[in-house]
Amino acid sequence: MNDEQFYKTCADLLGTQYECRPFSWHKRTRWNNRAPGSGRYPGFGLIRVYGDQVHVSLRHPVSHFEVYDSKEQVLAFLRTL
């Protein structure tokens, strides 16, 4: 599963819209690295993929902050909500 499919699946499980702002430069530098980027779920929080790890920071429906080792673990957690 690629990142875009993962983010859309998370949005479906949360029951919200997925907000993605693509990175608009050809490479990251010190000055352009502060764009919001992918993984934003308005009213819920953030779920972001960093290589093999996934950082979850949710405020709603539960307050949950965790770093997971795979996308499948995150999807399994979201199914329990």
Side-chain angles (χ1 to χ4, degrees):
M1 170 182 301
N2 67 24
D3 291 349
E4 190 70 25
Q5 292 172 334
F6 172 72
Y7 288 132
K8 287 181 182 177
T9 303
C10 289
D12 291 341
L13 291 172
L14 288 171
T16 187
Q17 295 290 321
Y18 163 62
E19 184 177 306
C20 176
R21 297 181 188 162
F23 191 70
S24 58
W25 293 280
H26 69 283
K27 70 175 190 173
R28 293 192 189 274
T29 66
R30 178 178 173 186
W31 297 276
N32 69 8
N33 197 25
R34 288 165 177 79
S38 301
R40 301 173 74 79
Y41 300 93
F44 289 85
L46 300 171
I47 299 175
R48 291 198 170 162
V49 177
Y50 293 102
D52 293 334
Q53 292 186 328
V54 183
H55 295 213
V56 177
S57 175
L58 295 177
R59 296 181 308 270
H60 180 76
V62 294
S63 181
H64 182 78
F65 305 95
E66 186 75 35
V67 177
Y68 291 91
D69 291 325
S70 72
K71 295 175 185 175
E72 290 75 24
Q73 290 176 342
V74 175
L75 294 176
F77 164 72
L78 291 176
R79 286 185 184 105
T80 64
L81 297 178

